[in-house]
Amino acid sequence: MTFYKILTLTLISLIFIGCGATEDAPKSTFSDSALLSVEKTTQNEILKAINTARAIPRDCHDGEGFVLAAPALVWNSELYASAYEHSNDLATSNTFSHYGSGTDSDITGTNNGKSSYFNERIRANGYVGYRTIGENIAGGQGTIEEAVEAWLNSPAHCTNIMNQNFKEIGVAVVVNNDSDYGIYWTQSFGAKN
C-alpha cells in the first residue's frame, strides 16, 4: 500500500461523526526506538505544535474560507484524562473510532454499560460545566507534527484545531505495536462557561 493511500485511508477514517477502522488498515511498522520516542513526547511539545498551527490564518476547506489565527490553548488535566482514556482504548482494542470499543479498555463505556462517545468520556473525566467540547483522533503518525499535519489536512479536524471557541486542550498518545496503527492520538478540546 502506498504512503498516499495509507494517508488517504487515515484521513477518511478521521471524520468527526464517528467511524470505524477500515478492513485493510495498515499494520504498524514502527521501530521500537520510534515508538519509545513518540511515547516520550512532552506536554510542552504537543502544545507548541498545536498552538503553532493555530497561530496561522488558514482555510480548512470546510466551506468557511480563511479563518483568523486562534488564541493559544492551555493544557487541561481533565481533558488529558479523557484523551488518554480514548487513545488507550483505541490502542488496546485495536479499533479506530470516536466511539469507544465497548470492551474493558473503554472505561467510560464499561461504567455506563455501552460504548462511550467523546462527550461522555470528557464528562466522566471531570470536565463539566463546559460550553463547548470537541475531539480529534489520529492513527499511525510518528510525531506530534505529523499528527497535526494530518488533522490540518482534514476539514473537520482542521476546523476543531482552529476553533476560536476552544480555550483548553488535553492530548494523549498511546503506543501498541501489535495494533494496526501502532500509535494513537486523541485531542480533547473544551471551553468552560
Side-chain angles (χ1 to χ4, degrees), residues 88-96 100-103 105-106 176 179 184:
N88 185 63
D89 180 31
L90 296 176
T92 302
S93 65
N94 196 27
T95 57
F96 194 76
S101 67
T103 66
S105 61
D106 179 10
N176 178 357
S179 64
Y184 297 82

Side-chain angles (χ1 to χ4, degrees), residues 39-191:
E39 284 183 314
K40 291 185 176 188
T41 304
T42 68
Q43 171 185 320
N44 288 337
E45 292 169 324
I46 291 169
L47 271 175
K48 181 180 177 187
I50 294 163
N51 286 330
T52 297
R54 285 174 62 89
I56 301 168
R58 69 181 71 246
D59 184 350
C60 287
H61 304 285
D62 59 357
E64 299 297 319
F66 271 84
V67 294
L68 298 175
L73 297 168
V74 297
W75 196 263
N76 180 282
S77 60
E78 294 158 339
L79 291 173
Y80 168 77
S82 173
Y84 180 82
E85 178 184 327
H86 195 50
S87 285
N88 185 63
D89 180 31
L90 296 176
T92 302
S93 65
N94 196 27
T95 57
F96 194 76
S97 172
H98 288 282
Y99 287 96
S101 67
T103 66
D104 288 343
S105 61
D106 179 10
I107 297 165
T108 298
T110 299
N111 290 341
N112 293 335
K114 61 183 180 76
S115 295
S116 66
Y117 197 51
F118 79 95
N119 60 321
E120 297 165 325
R121 289 188 296 273
I122 287 172
R123 279 195 311 270
N125 282 283
Y127 196 80
V128 295
Y130 56 81
R131 66 180 146 87
T132 187
I133 55 173
E135 177 181 87
N136 283 347
I137 60 174
Q141 295 77 16
T143 66
I144 184 58
E145 292 80 13
E146 290 174 5
V148 169
E149 183 179 342
W151 286 320
L152 290 175
N153 287 325
S154 165
H157 296 90
C158 179
T159 300
N160 271 349
I161 288 175
M162 297 304 294
N163 188 326
Q164 299 268 341
N165 295 317
F166 291 140
K167 306 299 180 202
E168 300 176 299
I169 193 169
V171 181
V173 58
V174 173
V175 171
N176 178 357
N177 204 26
D178 293 328
S179 64
D180 288 339
Y181 291 103
I183 300 171
Y184 297 82
W185 301 86
T186 302
Q187 292 179 307
S188 294
F189 300 93

